[in-house]
C-alpha cells in the first residue's frame, strides 16, 4: 500500500472519502507483518468487507481499530483521520472548539480525541539530542509580567525546555517538560529523557544546573535577557503564544500533552511529507485509552 504523503488537503480528501477507505489504511498497518489471531495465534484469516479479519480456526473477528487509539471512535474514522491531518500538517493545529464547528462533533468529544492524538505524539525518548543543546526554564499561565526568568508565582506552570541547534544556530529539535520547581532534581528530568551525555549543553547562570554538570557537559553563560539564546527564546515565545492564543485554558495535569504536540510538529518540520502516516502508525501501536486517563482526580 502507498502511504499518504504530503500536506495537500484536496489529495487527502480524495484518498479518504469514506470510513472504509480509512479502515483499509489501518488494516494495512495493523497486519503489515501478517495476521496472528489474538485469541489462538492462528495465522490464517478471512478479510471482511469492513477490513476486519476473522480467524479461520476460532472465528474470532478483530476490527482494524480495536485496542488502538482509534478504538471506538464514535464519530467515524474519516473525521478522525481529518483531525489527525490538521494536527500534523497545519502550523498551529486547531482548538477543540474549532474542531467542533468544522466537523460537527461536540467540543468535549473533540478534546478527548485530540488528547489521544497528543498521547501518540509523545516522544519515544529513544533518540536523545546531541551536538549543541541549549536549556532554559520558563513559566506559562498566571499573570504575565513580561519578564523572562524564574518565578515563584504558584499559578504559573513551570517548564524546562531544551533545543538542539544546527551548525547555523537554527532549531533542529526541541523538547519541553512541565516541572514542579526549578530545583536541580526537577531540571535534570529533561537531561535524562532527552539529552545525550555527549551533548555540549549551554544554560544560563542559574545555580540549579551546577549539580547536573557532574553527569553532563554544561557551560553556563549569562542569558542577557534571552539574547544569548536567540533560537531557544524564539521557541519559548512560540510555544507560549500558541498555548495562549489557541487554548483559553490548559490544565497543569495535561500541559505536557500540549508540549508533546508542539514538539512533534517542530521536530518533523523538515519531514512533513510523511508526518501524517507516522502519526497514524503511532496511533495504531498505542493501546486504547479511556476518558478518565485524561482527567485529573
Ligand atoms: Zn483464532
Amino acid at each position: 500500500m502507498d502511504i499518504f504523503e504530503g500536506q495537500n488537503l484536496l489529495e487527502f480528501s480524495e484518498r479518504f472519502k469514506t470510513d472504509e477507505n480509512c479502515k483499509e489504511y489501518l488494516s494495512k498497518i495493523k497486519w503489515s507483518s501478517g495476521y496472528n489471531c489474538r485469541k489462538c495465534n492462528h495465522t490464517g484469516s478471512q478479510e471482511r468487507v469492513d477490513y476486519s479479519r476473522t480467524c479461520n480456526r476460532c472465528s474470532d473477528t478483530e476490527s482494524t481499530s480495536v485496542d488502538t487509539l482509534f478504538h471506538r471512535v464514535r464519530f467515524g474514522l474519516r473525521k478522525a483521520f481529518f483531525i489527525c491531518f490538521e494536527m500534523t500538517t497545519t502550523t498551529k493545529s486547531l482548538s477543540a472548539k474549532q474542531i467542533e464547528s468544522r466537523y460537527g462533533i461536540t467540543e468535549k468529544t473533540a478534546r478527548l480525541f485530540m488528547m489521544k492524538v497528543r498521547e501518540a505524539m509523545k516522544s519515544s525518548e529513544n533518540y536523545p539530542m546531541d551536538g549543541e543543546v541549549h536549556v532554559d526554564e520558563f513559566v506559562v499561565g498566571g499573570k504575565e509580567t513580561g519578564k523572562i526568568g524564574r518565578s515563584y508565582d504558584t499559578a504559573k506552570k513551570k517548564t524546562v525546555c531544551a533545543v538542539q541547534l544546527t551548525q547555523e544556530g537554527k532549531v533542529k529539535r526541541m523538547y519541553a517538560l512541565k516541572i514542579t520547581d526549578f530545583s536541580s532534581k526537577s531540571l535534570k528530568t529533561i537531561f535524562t529523557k532527552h539529552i545525550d551525555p555527549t551533548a555540549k549543553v549551554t544554560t544560563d547562570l542559574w545555580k540549579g544546573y551546577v549539580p547536573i554538570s557532574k553527569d553532563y557537559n554544561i557551560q553556563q553563560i549569562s542569558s542577557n535577557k534571552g539574547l544569548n539564546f536567540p533560537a531557544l527564546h524564539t521557541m519559548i515565545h512560540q510555544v507560549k503564544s500558541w498555548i495562549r492564543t489557541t487554548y483559553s485554558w490548559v490544565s497543569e495535569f495535561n500541559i505536557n500533552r500540549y508540549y508533546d504536540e508542539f514538539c512533534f510538529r517542530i521536530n518533523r518540520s523538515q519531514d512533513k511529507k510523511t508526518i501524517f502516516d507516522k502519526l497514524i502508525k503511532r496511533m495504531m501501536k498505542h493501546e486504547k485509552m479511556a476518558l478518565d486517563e485524561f482527567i485529573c482526580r
Side-chain angles (χ1 to χ4, degrees):
M1 178 193 67
D2 293 335
I3 66 162
F4 182 81
E5 289 186 340
Q7 303 171 70
N8 187 310
L9 181 59
L10 291 179
E11 287 174 11
F12 187 82
S13 54
E14 272 300 302
R15 173 84 180 256
F16 301 107
K17 286 182 185 151
T18 62
D19 286 350
E20 264 55 44
N21 296 150
C22 304
K23 285 176 189 166
E24 184 181 10
Y25 202 86
L26 297 188
S27 77
K28 298 289 192 274
I29 295 171
K30 182 163 195 148
W31 292 296
S32 60
S33 47
Y35 170 85
N36 262 88
C37 175
R38 57 183 172 169
K39 296 265 164 70
C40 76
N41 221 23
H42 189 64
T43 53
S45 67
Q46 287 293 318
E47 186 176 69
R48 302 168 80 100
V49 284
D50 66 354
Y51 298 96
S52 60
R53 285 186 173 268
T54 300
C55 174
N56 286 341
R57 188 196 279 161
C58 74
S59 299
D60 172 67
T61 296
E62 189 173 348
S63 79
T64 53
S65 58
V66 67
D67 291 332
T68 73
L69 287 177
F70 290 110
H71 187 82
R72 287 196 188 153
V73 171
R74 289 200 179 81
F75 47 86
L77 279 174
R78 186 170 180 249
K79 287 181 183 178
F81 268 45
F82 271 77
I83 296 168
C84 290
F85 187 69
E86 304 253 29
M87 289 178 74
T88 47
T89 58
T90 59
T91 318
K92 298 205 160 134
S93 183
L94 297 169
S95 68
K97 192 81 198 154
Q98 288 167 311
I99 295 287
E100 176 186 32
S101 53
R102 285 171 69 138
Y103 295 100
I105 58 177
T106 69
E107 189 182 352
K108 192 180 156 199
T109 303
R111 185 174 301 122
L112 174 64
F113 181 71
M114 290 171 88
M115 283 299 184
K116 292 180 182 176
V117 175
R118 291 182 185 110
E119 186 66 26
M121 289 174 160
K122 196 166 158 180
S123 164
S124 66
E125 298 174 17
N126 289 335
Y127 306 97
M129 299 190 286
D130 52 12
E132 194 174 344
V133 175
H134 287 184
V135 179
D136 201 3
E137 335 82 47
F138 65 93
V139 291
V140 280
K143 211 187 249 168
E144 289 290 330
T145 56
K147 67 169 185 202
I148 297 170
R150 284 163 291 276
S151 160
Y152 294 92
D153 179 346
T154 50
K156 294 190 180 189
K157 301 169 184 83
K158 298 171 187 73
T159 299
V160 59
C161 175
V163 294
Q164 180 183 352
L165 300 175
T166 65
Q167 288 191 332
E168 296 77 42
K170 297 211 167 79
V171 173
K172 190 173 178 188
R173 278 197 290 160
M174 158 180 182
Y175 294 103
L177 270 183
K178 176 190 83 170
I179 47 179
T180 48
D181 53 45
F182 294 127
S183 68
S184 299
K185 191 175 171 237
S186 299
L187 293 168
K188 198 170 179 185
T189 51
I190 200 151
F191 287 79
T192 317
K193 283 174 185 284
H194 298 299
I195 302 176
D196 192 273
T198 64
K200 187 175 160 286
V201 183
T202 309
T203 70
D204 63 16
L205 297 172
W206 173 237
K207 62 182 190 303
Y209 292 107
V210 175
I212 305 173
S213 60
K214 269 194 302 196
D215 304 311
Y216 289 86
N217 174 13
I218 299 177
Q219 169 191 220
Q220 292 194 279
I221 61 168
S222 154
S223 155
N224 191 17
K225 295 193 170 76
L227 290 175
N228 288 340
F229 302 93
L232 175 60
H233 279 267
T234 304
M235 296 320 296
I236 290 177
H237 179 76
Q238 280 186 19
V239 73
K240 285 169 77 167
S241 88
W242 171 66
I243 286 180
R244 199 178 329 116
T245 54
T246 315
Y247 309 98
S248 54
W249 188 75
V250 171
S251 73
E252 180 97 35
F253 181 70
N254 278 317
I255 194 158
N256 273 339
R257 299 187 204 276
Y258 291 85
Y259 292 150
D260 291 339
E261 178 188 345
F262 189 86
C263 296
F264 183 85
R265 272 195 301 273
I266 291 290
N267 295 346
R268 283 158 193 80
S269 48
Q270 302 305 313
D271 229 354
K272 283 274 188 178
K273 211 170 148 186
T274 55
I275 192 171
F276 169 78
D277 181 69
K278 288 218 172 93
L279 173 68
I280 299 297
K281 285 183 175 135
R282 279 164 167 246
M283 296 282 290
M284 292 297 285
K285 224 172 130 184
H286 199 295
E287 59 194 25
K288 67 179 172 184
M289 287 183 81
L291 175 64
D292 61 6
E293 293 183 63
F294 300 98
I295 299 168
C296 181
R297 282 174 297 179

